[in-house]
Amino acid sequence: MLRIQAAQGAAMCACPGTGAPRPVYARPACGASARGGCRAVVAVSSEMLVLMLVVAATARLWAPVGASQLCRIRTVRTGKVFNVIQQVQGDVLYFQSGTRLIKHACDKNIALYLGKHVFLTRDNFESSLLPLAIPTSMTVGVPEVTSAHFANAFLLLVVNGKVYTYAYKEDVWQIATGIQHPVSHISGDNCCFVGNTFCTEINNSIFAYSRGEQVSQTTIYSSENGGISFTNFTFKNQGVFVYSEQPLDRNLGLAFNYDTTLDVFLCPGLRGFLILWSEKTLLVSPNSGQLFRTVQVHKGSQVLSTSISKLNISIHSITANEHTLAVLTKEDALYFGSLEFLSNSIIQLAEGSVWFPEAVLMFSGVGMLDILTPLPDAAFPTFDLQKCPINIQAILMGPGLQVKQCKIELLESRLESEMYTIDMNSKLNLSFTLIPRLGMSPIPLVMVSNPYSLGLQASIYEEADNTFDGNIVYKLDIDLKQQHHWGRASPNFTSSIKRPTISTLTVDIANREISCVDMKPLSMLISVGCDLEKKIVVQNKISACSKGILDPVELQKNYSYVIEKESYDSSYQGQRSDEDLVVQYSYKDLGCPRLVYYDTPWKPVIELWRKSDFQEIVSAEYVLLEVNGVFTYSYAMTAGSASCINQPQNWTSILETSSKKGPFSWNRENYISCRDSSSNLTALEWPDAQYQVLGGLTDNEIIFDQRNGFYIFHLSIVDPYYSYCQLETTFSIYVYGAYPRRAIPPEAAIVLLVSGLLLAVWLAYLVLHTEEGHRCQQCCASLCCCGCARARH
């Protein structure tokens, strides 16, 4: 703890109204030595005209010897106004298992300190803080925190066996639902790219469990909404490390030795690095737990041990960022190392009084490390923060550590720290620049964290021009696409191509020197999944408006049309309804409908677009459904003519089994091809059943009944191998050319016509060829003569 000691001539000031003296926490002025004299400057409000001059020829800043060599200690003290004293509201939280620091992976200014008191900062500990308290209305009982995790804009805390969510921006607490048994720990990961569906799923995926129990007896809970509610998570396998996704679910991770309960530290950046640690153990995995290695300990150029467990030291605190690791021990030693795929080691930076029981480590930037300690204040409930900022690069370059120089001058790419998407059947090309030191030949190392899904091909070549100093400039080109499409991996190695995945690409130098602090590896996130900038559009080259059948002006004036009751079924079962349906036509969403002649088999022409660029005409399999339930159309092909070996899916079977009802229920997630011999569809029993899938390998088309009018179709691409996106659209057509239906069926009309002709022929025969016919002719003639005589008179 950094303070001016009264016995050493420290300035003391009295709190107004109390007369009680208290020490003044000081920060050395610029140029003042931490060991020599200094001026103490205390910030006061504008209302208080207090001037304190501390003349301390004999006063000195108390600081540990080792710390004075590493950093210039400063104390953060803000908001200490005597007439405005903040009070802690609620039950004050505490952490009993030493000290921990948890940083928000995406907002570097947000962090949580766990110790005898719990502190939440939103400005990277640059202001004095009140201890975090949970409202008494939550009735937590014993306010002991055993685990914490940041998920999006929430802080998740395990308090007395229950999970609580704290929306720190709104200052709202809630208890998570669904957890039936006490838990001790909570864990999850973070993805910092906003708007990506896969990142959202990662951030929302949380696990809660009780650590230390037998695996067969513990209950694991999972949440898919960021910790708001949980459900039971069942796992059939038991072992050291088990996995839930193909292909890793086929095997267990390699076993590793440990003799006490280990804490798990998930390194940020989604590179797959895990750290397991306790007081006597430090293990690092570069591949999500499949393989754990011990960490070598160096002192200068000497290797002290291949494992920290073999040394007589006790770890007090660790921290890590995307690429580096720091360790603080109870023996007053500070260690620093880099997280590498090929090996891991730490080097002792200094020893002396750098350790305090309440101290934690915190990376504040590239190559910058802080030793952070809360300082209580006898006059205020808020705590000040003591910071010991350490420039790692400067320490490593000191002559005492005998650290080798970094082999590279430059490793860069304008594409670094970005997120890229590789959709189905797509590829990505990335380029990097590497400049080694003169006389050095570093070996580039290119890695992906999920090789089961993402494959790569790398090539390196010299540029034509060197630097002004004569350094060779190398270009490293990397081609990325789905591992399936490289054709080099066994099917047992690759993950399911239907499932979107995520991977981190890292470009590093093999056996990189620990001095390459400022020359950190380059990483970028690769989403093998939906490209959100893709969309599909149905061609509209001939519309009902361009042919004068419909007026676009009228369509925009709240236009409506009527669907006859015998032509639609709102439940999509093909049954006639009880009354006609009036439909409002949305010209804004649908535009002018495409024109289709009723007597011509038809299918839409679908275009794939990315942003404003046309990509291709879609040939993948898709399905259609009229959104209002109109069923006056059929399909040209049957299951038999479509070469199905299984009974194909149709809208009836999909609607019966899907939780969603209507046009959105059939998609790439539940589509099964009737030509897939490995599917769980039933064998083909009704080959004459309509085949309701269009596109793909068939020439299936729509045949319209004899009905003119509007059809509004929802179209969904169901081919799971075309894109990871749910490519769908809604469009309208207008069917014309169908004559009105006859009141008398055609068969009956033909019978009546033929009957009438036969009757006429029979009557003519009677009149012309029989005696009765002749008498009838004479009678008709007599009647005509009489009529004429009357007319003359």
Side-chain angles (χ1 to χ4, degrees):
M1 180 182 299
L2 171 65
R3 66 175 64 203
I4 299 177
Q5 299 290 335
Q8 297 172 342
M12 303 293 292
C13 63
C15 301
T18 65
R22 63 179 180 87
V24 178
Y25 299 99
R27 174 181 179 178
C30 295
S33 169
R35 289 189 173 188
C38 70
R39 293 171 292 146
V41 182
V42 180
V44 297
S45 66
S46 58
E47 294 120 1
M48 298 175 59
L49 300 177
V50 179
L51 178 62
M52 294 183 294
L53 178 62
V54 180
V55 181
T58 59
R60 64 184 177 89
L61 212 59
W62 181 85
V65 176
S68 66
Q69 299 170 357
L70 290 173
C71 63
R72 180 170 293 178
I73 297 177
R74 67 185 181 94
T75 299
V76 175
R77 178 178 175 83
T78 62
K80 300 299 178 74
V81 181
F82 294 122
N83 57 352
V84 179
I85 299 179
Q86 295 176 292
Q87 298 295 333
V88 179
Q89 303 291 331
D91 297 325
V92 178
L93 299 170
Y94 67 91
F95 181 75
Q96 206 166 22
S97 303
T99 58
R100 302 286 188 276
L101 185 84
I102 302 172
K103 294 205 73 172
H104 197 298
C106 304
D107 190 335
K108 303 303 183 182
N109 289 321
I110 298 176
L112 183 74
Y113 172 93
L114 297 174
K116 292 181 180 178
H117 295 85
V118 177
F119 300 99
L120 175 65
T121 181
R122 296 175 64 182
D123 61 1
N124 203 30
F125 297 103
E126 288 299 324
S127 61
S128 300
L129 295 170
L130 282 171
L132 185 64
I134 190 169
T136 54
S137 59
M138 304 302 292
T139 60
V140 298
V142 179
E144 180 187 357
V145 177
T146 55
S147 183
H149 172 72
F150 284 105
N152 299 314
F154 291 92
L155 171 62
L156 306 180
L157 294 166
V158 179
V159 183
N160 196 20
K162 299 178 181 179
V163 177
Y164 296 86
T165 63
Y166 177 44
Y168 43 82
K169 293 181 180 179
E170 296 81 12
D171 191 27
V172 176
W173 290 83
Q174 286 184 328
I175 185 170
T177 61
I179 295 181
Q180 308 298 327
H181 303 86
V183 295
S184 64
H185 283 72
I186 194 165
S187 64
D189 216 331
N190 295 98
C191 181
C192 301
F193 292 92
V194 179
N196 182 273
T197 303
F198 210 97
C199 274
T200 302
E201 292 178 2
I202 291 174
N203 294 332
N204 287 338
S205 181
I206 308 294
F207 291 92
Y209 51 93
S210 182
R211 195 180 70 178
E213 295 181 352
Q214 293 291 329
V215 176
S216 59
Q217 298 175 357
T218 191
T219 302
I220 302 175
Y221 298 94
S222 67
S223 172
E224 300 301 328
N225 55 15
I228 297 174
S229 62
F230 288 82
T231 57
N232 281 12
F233 181 81
T234 56
F235 225 155
K236 297 180 181 178
N237 298 328
Q238 297 178 14
V240 275
F241 259 83
V242 290
Y243 303 88
S244 60
E245 301 294 346
Q246 178 191 349
L248 294 181
D249 58 347
R250 303 187 185 117
N251 301 289
L252 301 177
L254 295 180
F256 52 89
N257 297 322
Y258 68 99
D259 55 7
T260 186
T261 302
L262 301 175
D263 280 319
V264 181
F265 189 105
L266 271 69
C267 300
L270 298 173
R271 297 175 64 217
F273 274 89
L274 294 176
I275 300 174
L276 300 184
W277 71 284
S278 64
E279 273 198 1
K280 301 295 183 180
T281 305
L282 184 61
L283 301 169
V284 175
S285 170
N287 49 13
S288 302
Q290 297 175 67
L291 174 65
F292 273 94
R293 292 192 295 256
T294 59
V295 179
Q296 283 190 350
V297 183
H298 293 243
K299 187 173 184 180
S301 58
Q302 178 188 4
V303 178
L304 294 181
S305 175
T306 57
S307 172
I308 202 168
S309 60
K310 297 179 181 179
L311 299 175
N312 189 26
I313 59 177
S314 299
I315 297 177
H316 170 72
S317 175
I318 73 164
T319 190
N321 55 21
E322 289 84 351
H323 308 288
T324 53
L325 165 70
V327 178
L328 180 63
T329 70
K330 294 181 180 179
E331 289 74 25
D332 281 341
L334 179 65
Y335 297 85
F336 173 81
S338 57
L339 297 173
E340 299 184 44
F341 285 86
L342 299 183
S343 64
N344 292 284
S345 62
I346 55 176
I347 186 171
Q348 184 175 332
L349 296 183
E351 57 184 347
S353 298
V354 294
W355 171 77
F356 302 95
E358 297 299 311
V360 292
L361 297 177
M362 177 181 72
F363 280 110
S364 56
V366 177
M368 295 301 299
L369 178 68
D370 285 345
I371 302 178
L372 180 75
T373 308
L375 302 176
D377 191 326
F380 293 91
T382 54
F383 281 61
D384 300 327
L385 286 308
Q386 174 185 291
K387 284 188 172 184
C388 173
I390 302 168
N391 188 329
I392 299 294
Q393 185 72 67
I395 299 298
L396 291 174
M397 290 297 98
L401 295 181
Q402 302 176 6
V403 173
K404 294 180 181 179
Q405 275 193 327
C406 187
K407 292 180 182 177
I408 56 174
E409 294 278 1
L410 180 69
L411 177 62
E412 70 171 6
S413 172
R414 61 182 180 84
L415 308 172
E416 194 229 349
S417 300
E418 296 291 336
M419 182 172 185
Y420 300 91
T421 299
I422 299 178
D423 204 340
M424 190 78 73
N425 306 306
S426 301
K427 61 182 180 179
L428 178 66
N429 306 107
L430 302 174
S431 182
F432 299 81
T433 301
L434 171 64
I435 302 178
R437 287 185 180 274
L438 283 173
M440 299 291 184
S441 300
I443 301 174
L445 193 62
V446 183
M447 297 144 293
V448 290
S449 62
N450 187 358
Y452 313 101
S453 173
L454 183 63
L456 63 88
Q457 179 74 49
S459 59
I460 189 169
Y461 57 92
E462 290 186 23
E463 287 278 75
D465 299 323
N466 295 345
T467 67
F468 291 116
D469 297 330
N471 297 66
I472 300 174
V473 179
Y474 292 95
K475 282 291 184 181
L476 176 64
D477 291 335
I478 302 173
D479 297 324
L480 297 154
K481 60 183 178 181
Q482 291 164 284
Q483 189 68 272
H484 284 266
H485 298 316
W486 282 111
R488 299 180 300 211
S490 165
N492 292 328
F493 178 82
T494 55
S495 59
S496 172
I497 193 174
K498 294 183 180 181
R499 186 175 62 88
T501 60
I502 204 163
S503 183
T504 300
L505 172 73
T506 302
V507 178
D508 199 357
I509 301 299
N511 299 315
R512 178 166 52 94
E513 291 78 8
I514 201 170
S515 59
C516 300
V517 176
D518 295 337
M519 205 61 60
K520 63 184 181 65
L522 303 181
S523 295
M524 51 209 67
L525 205 59
I526 311 295
S527 170
V528 181
C530 174
D531 185 349
L532 296 177
E533 295 177 331
K534 284 184 177 180
K535 64 179 180 179
I536 55 173
V537 176
V538 176
Q539 273 188 8
N540 190 7
K541 292 184 176 180
I542 301 176
S543 71
C545 298
S546 65
K547 293 299 182 179
I549 296 177
L550 295 174
D551 184 356
V553 176
E554 293 298 325
L555 290 176
Q556 298 177 63
K557 295 181 179 179
N558 295 323
Y559 185 86
S560 63
Y561 63 94
V562 176
I563 302 176
E564 308 82 11
K565 60 185 179 181
E566 61 271 8
S567 299
Y568 83 97
D569 178 6
S570 57
S571 62
Y572 307 101
Q573 299 298 319
Q575 304 296 322
R576 60 174 294 165
S577 301
D578 296 330
E579 58 184 6
D580 294 344
L581 178 66
V582 179
V583 178
Q584 291 291 130
Y585 186 82
S586 176
Y587 186 85
K588 179 181 178 181
D589 298 326
L590 301 171
C592 193
R594 295 140 189 85
L595 191 61
V596 177
Y597 184 62
Y598 95 98
D599 201 26
T600 301
W602 167 87
K603 64 179 179 180
V605 178
I606 310 167
E607 300 174 346
L608 177 68
W609 290 72
R610 188 177 187 273
K611 296 183 179 179
S612 58
D613 299 326
F614 169 78
Q615 301 295 305
E616 64 182 13
I617 298 296
V618 176
S619 58
E621 294 171 308
Y622 61 94
V623 293
L624 293 172
L625 187 65
E626 213 285 331
V627 298
N628 297 302
V630 176
F631 52 78
T632 54
Y633 61 91
S634 59
Y635 296 85
M637 299 187 73
T638 63
S641 62
S643 302
C644 291
I645 60 175
N646 299 309
Q647 199 65 43
Q649 294 172 306
N650 55 41
W651 279 107
T652 301
S653 63
I654 290 294
L655 292 171
E656 287 176 353
T657 57
S658 176
S659 58
K660 295 181 180 179
K661 302 300 179 184
F664 302 97
S665 56
W666 201 352
N667 52 50
R668 67 177 300 272
E669 299 292 338
N670 58 9
Y671 170 70
I672 303 174
S673 172
C674 67
R675 290 174 287 276
D676 184 0
S677 59
S678 62
S679 71
N680 57 1
L681 295 176
T682 59
L684 183 63
E685 298 179 6
W686 300 284
D688 294 332
Q690 289 191 27
Y691 182 65
Q692 298 183 354
V693 180
L694 296 93
L697 300 175
T698 70
D699 294 323
N700 201 12
E701 293 178 306
I702 296 290
I703 299 175
F704 292 99
D705 293 354
Q706 191 173 350
R707 173 185 177 272
N708 295 330
F710 289 89
Y711 290 78
I712 300 177
F713 283 110
H714 177 81
L715 185 151
S716 177
I717 305 292
V718 295
D719 185 349
Y721 301 104
Y722 184 72
S723 172
Y724 288 105
C725 302
Q726 297 288 0
L727 294 173
E728 50 194 16
T729 187
T730 301
F731 67 98
S732 63
I733 65 171
Y734 187 82
V735 174
Y736 77 105
Y739 291 105
R741 292 180 180 273
R742 297 178 180 89
I744 300 175
E747 296 81 1
I750 292 173
V751 170
L752 291 175
L753 178 61
V754 172
S755 300
L757 290 173
L758 292 174
L759 180 62
V761 171
W762 180 71
L763 289 174
Y765 174 80
L766 289 177
V767 171
L768 298 175
H769 299 285
T770 63
E771 185 178 351
E772 289 83 359
H774 289 300
R775 284 198 298 267
C776 183
Q777 291 179 7
Q778 294 173 358
C779 180
C780 290
S782 301
L783 291 174
C784 290
C785 291
C786 293
C788 292
R790 289 192 187 96
R792 285 196 297 269
H793 290 291

